[in-house]
Amino acid sequence: ADLLAYPVWAWHWDDPAAPTAPWDRARALVLDADVRDRKARALAAYPSQTLPLSGAPGDEAIVDDRHAAHHLRAEEWLFAPLRSRSRESFDAHYARKPEGWDFEGSWYEQRKRAVTLAALPRPRFRSALELGCATGVLTAALTGRADAVLGTDVAAAAIEQARHRAPDARFETAAFPAEWPEGRWDLVVLSEVGYYLSPDDLDRTVDRVLETLDDDGVLVACHWRHPDDDAVTDGDTVDARLAARWPRPALVHHVEEDFVLSVLPGPAVTSVGRAEGLVR
């Protein structure tokens, strides 16, 4: 079942010329006369809201006639939640383009991958988890930096390619955050997939990372900053949400026109200079 949002004060405060309500996700529920009558009687049961408290300025009714009219119409307006991009959508993408995106041929992809690897605060990790590994190009590079690497992706076709490209890694077909792999990690990579998650699923993903990340571990998040028709949100929104929910400031925060990259540390992580004794 979906949890729908009901606009209470949006009718009072939102601006029709520049609305903030997500009208593309609005749904109408038609009400019969009996339901409308019951609603009107329920609203009238709260005179502290519908009648003036006194004749003094500032004591006017909170829910005045104009506002109440929105709630007594012949239909209810509700807002559907944002949904994460579906498994079927990714399956269809790989059916059209078996390589997914041009991970190996694109200089953007090659350079971004090099920047991501260079941002890692240690030369070696014990156990790495890549969420949304696609066809395994970054996963293969991570096997040179970690003793064990697990890649997960929602698309079975992508996982099949990843197994051939990165034979030293393990792979699981899984939709995170609901399908979370067993284990603990000192490196979690979230590259170019956070904006395919609904805000709720992104929050739950952060929670799962925090639950399974070792104290000396890091979350590395890298995201495209330009529009994507298939995305639920965007790279800047994802990066800001990660920073807001993470309990410590970013160890690395790299922003350029095309992508944003953050390295979010566990409680035992220090800067590279401090870890090597260059800073005391």
Side-chain angles (χ1 to χ4, degrees):
D2 286 337
L3 178 65
L4 302 179
Y6 180 75
V8 177
W9 291 108
W11 303 118
H12 191 71
W13 294 113
D14 208 5
D15 181 1
T20 58
W23 289 108
D24 60 321
R25 292 187 278 116
R27 304 290 186 270
L29 174 66
V30 178
L31 307 177
D32 61 30
D34 178 62
V35 171
R36 295 200 303 274
D37 178 66
R38 288 162 58 193
K39 282 190 66 179
R41 286 186 282 113
L43 188 62
Y46 291 89
S48 64
Q49 306 296 303
T50 59
L51 299 176
L53 297 177
S54 75
D59 275 358
E60 296 84 3
I62 295 174
V63 181
D64 58 20
D65 290 343
R66 181 176 66 86
H67 188 197
H70 286 290
H71 302 287
L72 298 175
R73 292 178 302 181
E75 68 278 328
E76 292 275 22
W77 285 94
L78 305 164
F79 294 109
L82 279 173
R83 295 178 179 276
S84 295
R85 186 176 175 183
S86 68
R87 186 189 302 266
E88 292 75 17
S89 171
F90 281 105
D91 287 342
H93 177 87
Y94 283 101
R96 294 191 308 270
K97 298 177 63 177
E99 285 297 320
W101 291 262
D102 190 13
F103 296 118
E104 292 184 302
S106 163
W107 171 238
Y108 164 78
E109 292 288 349
Q110 295 172 34
R111 177 179 173 274
K112 181 196 63 181
R113 195 158 54 246
V115 172
T116 301
L117 294 169
L120 300 180
R122 302 206 315 263
R124 194 78 186 169
F125 292 84
R126 296 181 299 276
S127 182
L129 169 65
E130 185 185 2
L131 298 167
C133 65
T135 58
V137 178
L138 178 57
T139 325
L142 291 173
T143 61
R145 300 287 297 272
D147 298 335
V149 179
L150 173 63
T152 72
D153 200 276
V154 69
I159 288 292
E160 187 62 28
Q161 292 190 61
R163 287 195 172 103
H164 291 288
R165 181 170 277 117
D168 293 332
R170 294 189 300 116
F171 293 95
E172 294 181 8
T173 303
F176 62 90
E179 300 169 346
W180 198 261
E182 294 290 332
R184 295 195 62 82
W185 327 97
D186 59 338
L187 173 61
V188 177
V189 177
L190 184 73
S191 181
E192 306 283 25
V193 290
Y195 42 64
Y196 294 132
L197 298 175
S198 70
D200 285 346
D201 279 348
L202 181 62
D203 285 352
R204 290 171 57 210
T205 296
V206 175
D207 292 341
R208 297 306 297 267
V209 172
L210 287 169
E211 290 168 4
T212 56
L213 189 70
D214 289 338
D215 286 352
D216 63 344
V218 295
L219 168 65
V220 178
C222 183
H223 289 91
W224 174 250
R225 299 185 66 214
H226 300 291
D228 180 340
D229 291 340
D230 293 315
V232 177
T233 58
D234 58 80
D236 287 337
T237 298
V238 169
D239 189 73
R241 188 60 180 167
L242 293 175
R245 289 185 61 83
W246 200 260
R248 297 186 66 204
L251 190 69
V252 175
H253 188 229
H254 171 82
V255 183
E256 55 182 79
E257 183 177 350
D258 294 330
F259 69 89
V260 55
L261 182 147
S262 289
V263 177
L264 302 168
V269 177
T270 62
S271 74
V272 175
R274 291 187 185 281
E276 294 203 339
L278 304 175
V279 179
R280 301 187 187 281

